Amino acid sequence: MNPGIDLQESFVEALTGLGLPSEIAKLFWLPLPMGLMLVAATVGVLGTVWLERKISAAAQQRIGPEYIGPMGTLAPLADGLKLLFKEDTVPTNADPWLFTLGPIIVAIPVFVSYLIVPFGQNMVITDLGTAIFLWIALSSIQPIGLLMSGYASNNKYSLLGGLRAAAQSISYEIPLALAVLAVVMMSNSMSTLDIVNQQSGYGILGWNIWRQPVGFLIFWIAALAECERLPFDLPEAEEELVAGYQTEYSGMKFALYYLASYINLVLSSLMVAVLYLGGWDFPIPVDWVAHTLGLSETTPWLQVILAMLGITMTVLKAYLLVFTAILLRWTVPRVRIDQLLNLGWKFLLPVGLVNLLLTAALKLAFPVAFGG
């Protein structure tokens, strides 16, 4: 059953009951999921930017933002407003069409990917049977926008940054896809809801991280490289390329890159939580706790509480990984471009292939433990 369709039908029926034609009611529904997705993604980015500043300050024994809102919580919003009103310039001799399309092509696939992220049992905008395939396909669009921006900027640093971004993304997409394919093989489905449900029932012991530890590491390393986080921020290395493909951008075009970068980090962390950490599942099985306390899971108030706790659990798991990514920024030095490409092609790719073949063999040998 598709939870998104049920919610749509309920919304349309409610408006139809008020006297609106069903066609008009459906038109009112169309912008709601996308609007909710945009708001949730933007709030997640604001929280991540604030965390990045506070954690980075703590790592360097500084205080970080303090005066713009309580503990500096409004500092990311102030940054966004500054970029909104900043002058938008296009370099001389740059290609204006490609220069403008680049940030849009980078940002839109990341936003759309949130359609398939489940925050709870019935809390996903679109439950697609090919959700994982859609996410991998959308993530492969980003390098086109990055290369387009670097080429169109009429700047040698931007061009080098765009070329690095494309090479890095292609190098790490394949190991990432192999790691995800092993999880899909165990779950017998590409639906994100099915993958989480397959991990439920045994609490923390049923999470895929125990059955796919190598795949988890491959996925996390590849996700950091796809998000261009340190130690894999070669496409925008300030000491070498000023800001890489972003060098000539200002105003809202730069804001789109800034937004897409952090949204991609949160999205990758959410996907790790869904694929390997049980999604909204609790470390202790809910039915065991309910049985111990003598409660029924069908009780309405208990279902509401469990739904809210499920969302909290998903977000907590994701932000634990965001915290790890921020901490790595101040812990691990930046690698060279040849080391980065060698890690992707000569290490992660063969290890990912072996992990996939081993998963297939174990699935045949132990079908119960490996989702057969």
Side-chain angles (χ1 to χ4, degrees):
M1 183 178 293
N2 189 331
I5 292 177
D6 291 343
L7 187 59
Q8 177 182 350
E9 290 176 353
S10 302
F11 181 84
V12 171
E13 286 176 4
L15 290 184
T16 306
L18 295 175
L20 285 175
S22 60
E23 292 77 11
I24 303 298
K26 289 178 181 177
L27 286 177
F28 275 108
W29 164 261
L30 288 176
L32 284 182
M34 299 300 290
L36 180 63
M37 179 188 67
L38 289 172
V39 170
T42 305
V43 170
V45 166
L46 293 176
T48 304
V49 172
W50 179 78
L51 276 176
E52 172 118 57
R53 290 183 169 180
K54 296 300 283 189
I55 295 169
S56 299
Q60 299 175 336
Q61 296 183 342
R62 296 185 290 107
I63 296 175
E66 281 287 312
Y67 302 108
I68 309 177
M71 295 183 66
T73 49
L74 296 181
L77 188 61
D79 287 340
L81 291 173
K82 178 192 73 173
L83 290 172
L84 181 64
F85 293 105
K86 204 173 181 71
E87 182 182 2
D88 187 8
T89 59
V90 178
T92 306
N93 297 328
D95 189 314
W97 284 102
L98 295 182
F99 188 80
T100 303
L101 281 175
I104 298 172
I105 292 175
V106 170
I108 288 179
V110 186
F111 276 109
V112 175
S113 297
Y114 273 82
L115 291 171
I116 56 127
V117 176
F119 289 89
Q121 180 66 51
N122 295 315
M123 296 175 188
V124 60
I125 295 176
T126 306
D127 179 21
L128 292 176
T130 57
I132 296 297
F133 177 79
L134 175 66
W135 173 57
I136 293 174
L138 287 171
S139 67
S140 66
I141 297 174
Q142 277 189 298
I144 301 172
L146 299 177
L147 191 58
M148 189 182 295
S149 299
Y151 170 77
S153 295
N154 190 35
N155 181 303
K156 60 183 178 181
Y157 298 114
S158 298
L159 179 58
L160 284 172
L163 291 172
R164 280 187 177 185
Q168 179 170 318
S169 183
I170 292 169
S171 300
Y172 284 85
E173 270 180 9
I174 303 174
L176 185 142
L178 291 174
V180 173
L181 192 56
V183 174
V184 169
M185 184 183 296
M186 288 196 310
S187 305
N188 299 314
S189 174
M190 286 193 287
S191 166
T192 48
L193 285 177
D194 291 343
I195 289 172
V196 176
N197 287 326
Q198 183 263 341
Q199 301 175 67
S200 62
Y202 300 98
I204 193 172
L205 298 177
W207 295 354
N208 282 334
I209 189 172
W210 309 117
R211 289 176 288 184
Q212 283 290 317
V214 176
F216 168 77
L217 290 174
I218 292 172
F219 186 96
W220 183 233
I221 293 171
L224 289 175
E226 290 283 315
C227 296
E228 297 171 9
R229 297 287 305 183
L230 270 161
F232 306 114
D233 68 333
L234 274 298
E236 50 190 77
E238 294 88 351
E239 295 87 349
E240 303 171 29
L241 303 178
V242 187
Y245 53 83
Q246 304 176 28
T247 299
E248 298 293 348
Y249 282 91
S250 62
M252 280 310 295
K253 292 191 182 76
F254 177 79
L256 277 178
Y257 274 126
Y258 194 75
L259 201 62
S261 173
Y262 280 98
I263 289 177
N264 203 10
L265 175 61
V266 176
L267 174 67
S268 299
S269 301
L270 285 168
M271 292 306 295
V272 173
V274 167
L275 294 172
Y276 295 98
L277 302 179
W280 63 84
D281 197 30
F282 296 88
I284 302 174
V286 175
D287 53 348
W288 294 1
V289 177
H291 179 72
T292 303
L293 298 176
L295 300 173
S296 173
E297 290 186 57
T298 58
T299 308
W301 63 267
L302 184 59
Q303 287 184 332
V304 173
I305 292 174
L306 289 177
M308 295 175 64
L309 289 175
I311 297 173
T312 305
M313 188 61 61
T314 305
V315 173
L316 277 178
K317 291 174 183 176
Y319 272 90
L320 176 63
L321 293 160
V322 169
F323 172 79
T324 306
I326 295 171
L327 210 57
L328 283 172
R329 175 178 179 179
W330 304 106
T331 309
V332 184
R334 179 185 296 128
V335 299
R336 297 196 311 264
I337 186 68
D338 61 317
Q339 294 171 333
L340 179 137
L341 296 177
N342 285 337
L343 177 65
W345 289 108
K346 296 182 179 180
F347 182 76
L348 292 184
L349 179 58
V351 171
L353 280 170
V354 171
N355 180 65
L356 181 61
L357 293 173
L358 187 60
T359 302
L362 290 172
K363 182 178 171 67
L364 291 173
F366 307 101
V368 176
F370 284 83

